[in-house]
Amino acid sequence: MIADYEGDISNLFDTEVEGEVPFLITRNLVMFPGVLTPVLIGRKQSLSLVNAVKEDPQKVFAVFSQKDPSVEDPCEADMCEYGVFARLVRTIEMPGPGNNVTAIVQGLGRCRLVDVTSTAPYIAGHAEKKAEKLPSARNKEFNTALEDLRTSVKEYVHMDEDMPDETLFAVSNIHNKVLAVNYICTTMPFSVDDKLQLLKTDSMTERVLMALKMLYRETQLLRLRQDIRTKTREDLDEQQREYFLQQQIKNIKEELGNGEGSPERKELLDKAAKKLWSAETAKTFHKELDKLDTLNPQSPEYSIQLTYLQTMVGLPWNEFTKDNLDLKRARRVLDHDHYGMEKVKERILEYMAVLKLRGDLKSPIICLYGPPGVGKTSLGKSIASAMKRKYVRMSLGGLHDESEIRGHRRTYIGAMPGRIIKNIQKAGSSNPVFILDEIDKVTQNTVNGDPSSALLEVLDPEQNNAFHDNYLDVDYDLSKVLFIATANDLNTIPRPLLDRMEIIEVSGYITEEKIEIAKRHLIPRELDSTGLAARSAEKAEKAGEKAEQTGEKAEKTVVPQFTKPAIEKIIEQYTRESGVRQLEKQINKALRKIAYRKAVDGSLTVSKIAPAQLEDLLGKPPFYRDIYQGNDYAGVVTGLAWTSVGGEILFIETSLSKGKSGKLTLTGNLGDVMKESAVIALEYVKAHIDTLGVDYRVFDNWNIHIHVPEGATPKDGPSAGITIATSIASALTQRKVRKNTAMTGEITLRGKVLPVGGIKEKILAAKRAGITDIVMCRDNKKDIDEIPDIYLKGVTFHYVENVQDVWQFALTSETVDRPVKFDIEDDNKNNEVDNNPNHNDKHTNA
């Protein structure tokens, strides 16, 4: 075997290695650059080297042959002078005693032994690179000699029965001439000394001429051996005799009309007769079945061929389950299994509606992306249930081998189809709901290929009607499969793959949605998993039987119940997530403690779980949410923020301190975008300072410090623009901000307010904090219109177009208690500036 390098091979031969490298010492084996060679590892030192290199597939080592193969522990004097740099491709555990391992090694550039520096745990030392003298593409001497060498190799392979037929195929199909020469030098039965002489030769032209001479000599020796064998052996050997007898028996059976062949053949034919495959696939099957008849049942090739044929008849060729296209039923199933997720449900119902009207439709390729724990994977099972299709799931997390997608070629030992075909076979139909879980975590560009590139064919509706699996070697139609991929981060998915999928965002749940999910799904499931619901029912049944016998009144069954405030407290103060996984764990933790106490005390100590009892069951809350803190301080304004776990309120604080520079200080672990928003807000305030009734010279004598509390939490984004501008204006004027007011919106240098995202989450955060008035961009009104009225109750929205509108609403005429008096130096005189907005006539330049 040889690596499939075309054109420029400098990346293969030009291996630069500095410092000490491990040495792999081989017996009766000489490796050449570019050739994949299996090496049987037996010595302890060699096994240590392989184990060390296996941890780093890109690590380069050197391979040298030893002069005397009988030497068990070779030293520097026993090693040949020339060898090759190499990389480990893979290892194969070989059966039998001794724990032997076969290493598949990729030859790189040539090298020469310099010295040996260590012998434990494996031999290592220094080796210098030896460059190849490669011929030009138009070198007639080299090209002619290579063609002659190829012809001679084919002649030799035809003569020698021990040479595998794959050699002919490889020699004919290796297009790179240099690699073809090295492959022939490796494969042909030259002696170790001859191969070392070939490896030592720098010029590729000289090497091909030398190989041609050696092959001619070997061909003459082979002819001589065949002449001797022909004269001395007249009878066929026992295996050939048995084969011909078996063929005769088969022919006799066919003449008698009962030539059914082996039981496996009959079973395969029976299954094949029921398959709905194409004529081309049927032709391939019968061709491969005929090969089975020519093989000895005791040979390894027989079981390989039989496994392949069983895989073919095991696939559901053009077999489809009948879709249930009742849209109302599908809606009920989806709503029952998952709360929310309206966009995803609408897309599935649209697909079913078009399928119902058209009768036939290529399945869409959908990618659901969002934070962990929001139900992306479980949604696939719900979709399968709604459509009454088979359901299969394939986890792609950490997938690093392209063969896992496309399968292995049958020439490899232990070859098998890829996981796509295996899952289709497992589903038993050609139109299942196929979940490709964690598609963003596929390893890219590994030594075993690029799995993400292999997925391009699977997830392209224009190509997957003829998906080619390397093991199956027959096109399979995947166009009716409903592929649903899931991902947490789109940035790690290659752009070509992302372009083939329909992206649907599955956002995190808000608190109100989590409460409903907990009541409908999580609490009933955890009651059952902790045994409280089941044991209560069992106890009630036994008590009822006892009451019937004794005439006593049966004890009433009690099942623990969470109150809505308790569920909300768990969500707000015991979890910090977009999904509901941690919420489920906290509910399970509380019920486990109740179950434990019930098992100890013999009775249920808690029947209704209220917020006051949560600390006893779950401990102290690790989280808390901010609440509105009033408007008693100048420069403190409430903003609204979106996070991956929902909405939050945040406080923008601005303070002024005396200083000559008028420096702006930003603290609170702010990102670059948020820092830019603060700079823009300050520049706008400076440009429009007259509208606030403040002397512009205040910036020359006072420093401005803007801080956003909870400094350990990173914060970024442009949505705090109007909040920062209002905070600075309040600090400069010492005016109060309107009570119970929060705001969100980006600003420009002109003071224009721009729309922002996450409106739904921000509104709910404001309601939880006691906010009654929210200021936002007028363009965000369309987002408000899409939110159900239940979430908007109790909040008034004020839509603005510029910062002046914000100040007009948010800044009151009332100053704070003990306002700061700004002293401004002017012509060596201290003039006190009044911050009362009603005294604007005092703000004049001296």
Side-chain angles (χ1 to χ4, degrees):
M1 295 172 58
I2 191 160
D4 187 18
Y5 286 95
E6 298 287 339
D8 185 13
I9 57 173
S10 59
N11 61 341
L12 183 66
F13 291 164
D14 293 343
T15 305
E16 296 291 342
V17 179
E18 297 181 358
E20 186 182 77
V21 294
F23 291 164
L24 178 64
I25 314 302
T26 61
R27 309 187 217 210
N28 298 319
L29 175 65
V30 179
M31 285 188 60
F32 283 81
V35 183
L36 277 173
T37 307
V39 181
L40 182 63
I41 306 299
R43 286 191 281 233
K44 184 177 179 181
Q45 288 178 320
S46 301
L47 191 59
S48 299
L49 185 148
V50 170
N51 291 333
V53 174
K54 191 191 302 184
E55 298 176 357
D56 183 8
Q58 298 302 317
K59 187 174 181 63
V60 176
F61 56 94
V63 181
F64 292 99
S65 180
Q66 63 185 66
K67 299 174 182 177
D68 184 1
S70 63
V71 177
E72 188 61 32
D73 297 315
C75 59
E76 183 176 354
D78 299 315
M79 297 166 58
C80 296
E81 182 182 6
Y82 283 82
V84 295
F85 291 119
R87 282 195 180 97
L88 179 66
V89 177
R90 64 177 297 186
T91 58
I92 302 173
E93 300 289 339
M94 303 301 293
N99 296 324
N100 290 329
V101 174
T102 294
I104 308 299
V105 180
Q106 168 76 66
L108 303 175
R110 294 189 313 148
C111 63
R112 190 180 70 83
L113 176 65
V114 177
D115 61 7
V116 174
T117 56
S118 64
T119 58
Y122 45 77
I123 300 176
H126 297 91
E128 64 179 5
K129 171 188 170 184
K130 294 297 292 182
E132 302 268 12
K133 294 181 181 178
L134 303 178
S136 65
R138 299 180 180 180
N139 190 318
K140 293 183 179 180
E141 182 183 10
F142 174 80
N143 294 336
T144 305
L146 177 58
E147 289 302 316
D148 195 6
L149 181 61
R150 288 183 193 264
T151 304
S152 300
V153 169
K154 295 176 183 178
E155 180 184 354
Y156 184 91
V157 172
H158 284 304
M159 292 172 57
D160 191 353
E161 297 175 354
D162 296 329
M163 292 293 293
D165 295 334
E166 288 82 3
T167 305
L168 284 177
F169 179 83
V171 171
S172 301
N173 289 275
I174 297 174
H175 304 299
N176 189 291
K177 297 176 181 179
V178 175
L179 295 182
V181 174
N182 288 342
Y183 176 78
I184 292 171
C185 292
T186 303
T187 309
M188 289 296 101
F190 303 147
S191 66
V192 173
D193 291 337
D194 287 344
K195 290 186 177 182
L196 287 171
Q197 193 66 27
L198 291 168
L199 181 63
K200 187 176 180 181
T201 304
D202 296 335
S203 171
M204 191 59 64
T205 303
E206 293 181 11
R207 187 181 299 172
V208 72
L209 292 173
M210 190 180 299
L212 193 58
K213 180 180 178 180
M214 294 177 181
L215 185 58
Y216 178 79
R217 183 190 65 203
E218 294 294 330
T219 304
Q220 295 301 319
L221 290 174
L222 179 60
R223 284 175 178 162
L224 181 60
R225 287 196 299 269
Q226 287 181 339
D227 290 341
I228 296 172
R229 189 178 304 167
T230 303
K231 294 176 183 178
T232 57
R233 191 185 66 187
E234 297 178 356
D235 299 327
L236 297 173
D237 58 38
E238 186 63 27
Q239 185 175 0
Q240 289 176 311
R241 178 174 175 272
E242 182 181 348
Y243 172 74
F244 283 116
L245 288 174
Q246 291 288 348
Q247 288 296 107
Q248 290 177 359
I249 292 172
K250 177 184 175 183
N251 293 335
I252 292 171
K253 284 184 176 181
E254 290 180 352
E255 290 293 331
L256 294 174
N258 58 352
E260 296 178 351
S262 63
E264 292 90 352
R265 177 185 174 88
K266 185 177 184 301
E267 181 184 355
L268 290 170
L269 285 172
D270 291 342
K271 290 182 178 180
K274 302 175 184 177
K275 290 297 167 184
L276 304 176
W277 48 30
S278 64
E280 182 181 351
T281 306
K283 181 180 177 182
T284 302
F285 171 79
H286 288 290
K287 180 182 176 182
E288 296 294 333
L289 187 62
D290 291 339
K291 289 182 183 179
L292 186 70
D293 293 334
T294 64
L295 299 174
N296 189 334
Q298 275 71 44
S299 66
E301 291 80 5
Y302 183 86
S303 61
I304 293 173
Q305 188 72 5
L306 180 62
T307 303
Y308 170 73
L309 292 169
Q310 289 174 340
T311 301
M312 283 197 72
V313 298
L315 284 169
W317 299 89
N318 295 320
E319 297 177 21
F320 307 103
T321 56
K322 186 178 180 181
D323 291 332
N324 187 329
L325 300 178
D326 185 346
L327 299 181
K328 293 183 179 179
R329 175 190 172 277
R331 182 77 196 195
R332 286 197 304 270
V333 172
L334 293 174
D335 288 341
H336 176 269
D337 294 343
H338 289 82
Y339 185 82
M341 294 190 177
E342 295 303 323
K343 289 184 180 179
V344 188
K345 293 176 181 177
E346 286 179 9
R347 181 63 185 90
I348 298 301
L349 293 173
E350 289 168 2
Y351 164 68
M352 293 176 64
V354 175
L355 188 62
K356 183 176 182 179
L357 296 175
R358 192 173 185 272
D360 183 25
L361 182 67
K362 285 186 177 180
S363 296
I365 312 295
I366 297 173
C367 178
L368 308 178
Y369 85 96
V374 296
K376 300 184 295 295
T377 304
S378 61
L379 184 63
K381 188 175 290 187
S382 178
I383 293 171
S385 175
M387 300 181 68
K388 287 196 173 180
R389 285 192 180 188
K390 298 293 182 67
Y391 168 82
V392 287
R393 173 183 167 274
M394 175 179 170
S395 178
L396 298 176
L399 189 72
H400 64 279
D401 192 347
E402 180 183 342
S403 299
E404 291 286 324
I405 305 295
R406 286 205 177 111
H408 303 264
R409 299 191 183 277
R410 280 186 289 153
T411 53
Y412 293 98
I413 296 174
M416 61 180 66
R419 291 171 64 184
I420 299 290
I421 293 296
K422 286 170 69 176
N423 277 289
I424 293 293
Q425 184 177 8
K426 176 183 175 183
S429 72
S430 292
N431 64 335
V433 175
F434 201 124
I435 301 297
L436 297 172
D437 209 8
E438 310 292 356
I439 197 171
D440 56 326
K441 297 173 181 62
V442 177
T443 307
Q444 300 175 31
N445 297 323
T446 68
V447 70
N448 297 317
D450 189 355
S452 61
S453 296
L455 285 170
L456 293 177
E457 182 183 4
V458 178
L459 299 181
D460 191 338
E462 300 301 323
Q463 298 183 42
N464 63 8
N465 61 340
F467 172 68
H468 186 84
D469 185 273
N470 290 330
Y471 178 83
L472 200 61
D473 208 20
V474 180
D475 290 341
Y476 194 90
D477 186 4
L478 297 177
S479 62
K480 301 297 188 296
V481 178
L482 178 55
F483 286 104
I484 300 178
T486 69
N488 299 127
D489 185 7
L490 297 182
N491 295 324
T492 59
I493 303 177
R495 296 302 305 176
L497 184 59
L498 198 63
D499 185 59
R500 283 164 168 78
M501 299 186 291
E502 181 178 346
I503 307 301
I504 300 178
E505 181 182 5
V506 183
S507 59
Y509 296 114
I510 58 178
T511 300
E512 286 71 10
E513 291 173 335
K514 290 181 181 180
I515 292 173
E516 290 299 320
I517 292 171
K519 290 165 64 176
R520 297 185 187 186
H521 302 286
L522 304 184
I523 294 175
R525 185 162 65 216
E526 294 308 318
L527 282 170
D528 185 61
S529 67
T530 53
L532 291 172
R535 290 184 182 182
S536 297
E538 181 182 351
K539 181 178 179 181
E541 184 179 350
K542 291 182 178 178
E545 293 176 355
K546 183 177 180 181
E548 289 180 1
Q549 297 173 359
T550 61
E552 297 176 358
K553 187 177 181 180
E555 183 182 349
K556 186 179 180 181
T557 303
V558 179
V559 178
Q561 296 292 333
F562 287 84
T563 63
K564 184 176 179 180
I567 300 173
E568 184 174 357
K569 184 174 181 179
I570 295 176
I571 296 169
E572 300 287 351
Q573 301 184 21
Y574 288 89
T575 65
R576 246 329 168 259
E577 59 175 347
S578 299
V580 292
R581 283 202 182 114
Q582 296 301 321
L583 174 60
E584 184 176 15
K585 291 178 181 178
Q586 294 297 331
I587 292 172
N588 179 270
K589 180 179 178 181
L591 293 177
R592 283 201 319 267
K593 186 154 287 190
I594 293 174
Y596 169 75
R597 293 175 179 175
K598 179 180 178 181
V600 173
D601 301 337
S603 61
L604 193 65
T605 57
V606 178
S607 60
K608 184 169 288 188
I609 302 172
Q613 297 166 300
L614 289 177
E615 288 194 17
D616 181 46
L617 297 173
L618 300 177
K620 294 290 184 180
F623 308 108
Y624 70 95
R625 289 193 182 271
D626 290 325
I627 60 173
Y628 179 70
Q629 297 179 357
N631 64 341
D632 296 331
Y633 298 94
V636 180
V637 183
T638 305
L640 299 174
W642 179 92
T643 70
S644 60
V645 296
E648 296 281 355
I649 68 167
L650 53 81
F651 301 102
I652 307 295
E653 302 176 350
T654 300
S655 67
L656 304 174
S657 60
K658 288 186 178 181
K660 294 292 185 181
S661 60
K663 181 177 67 173
L664 171 65
T665 303
L666 302 173
T667 57
N669 201 355
L670 309 184
D672 291 339
V673 177
M674 197 166 183
K675 290 178 181 178
E676 291 175 359
S677 295
V679 173
I680 293 171
L682 178 59
E683 291 302 320
Y684 179 83
V685 171
K686 288 181 178 180
H688 299 79
I689 192 67
D690 292 340
T691 62
L692 294 173
V694 178
D695 194 312
Y696 72 93
R697 290 171 296 175
V698 70
F699 297 110
D700 297 330
N701 297 276
W702 292 78
N703 295 329
I704 299 177
H705 186 160
I706 300 175
H707 176 67
V708 184
E710 296 189 27
T713 304
K715 310 167 193 71
D716 204 0
S719 63
I722 62 173
T723 314
I724 297 173
T726 306
S727 176
I728 296 173
S730 174
L732 290 172
T733 61
Q734 294 295 295
R735 292 157 64 182
K736 287 185 177 182
V737 178
R738 186 180 294 271
K739 196 171 184 180
N740 297 322
T741 298
M743 56 189 68
T744 180
E746 180 181 356
I747 63 169
T748 68
L749 274 175
R750 296 174 294 156
K752 182 177 176 60
V753 181
L754 303 180
V756 294
I759 296 298
K760 181 180 179 181
E761 290 81 0
K762 291 177 179 179
I763 291 173
L764 293 170
K767 288 184 65 177
R768 287 192 296 267
I771 300 295
T772 58
D773 294 271
I774 297 179
V775 180
M776 65 177 64
C777 176
R778 188 174 301 279
D779 292 338
N780 278 124
K781 189 176 186 303
K782 64 180 185 301
D783 301 304
I784 301 297
D785 294 338
E786 294 179 358
I787 299 174
D789 293 338
I790 188 174
Y791 299 137
L792 308 179
K793 188 177 180 181
V795 179
T796 303
F797 298 96
H798 305 273
Y799 303 108
V800 296
E801 294 184 351
N802 54 61
V803 177
Q804 295 295 331
D805 296 339
V806 178
W807 289 348
Q808 185 176 357
F809 173 78
L811 291 178
T812 67
S813 59
E814 181 184 0
T815 58
V816 297
D817 296 337
R818 296 190 298 277
V820 176
K821 301 293 184 179
F822 299 113
D823 296 331
I824 298 177
E825 297 182 3
D826 180 29
D827 297 330
N828 298 322
K829 295 180 181 180
N830 293 332
N831 295 328
E832 189 177 273
V833 177
D834 188 354
N835 294 297
N836 193 325
N838 299 319
H839 298 168
N840 290 340
D841 57 324
K842 293 184 179 180
H843 298 286
T844 58
N845 294 328

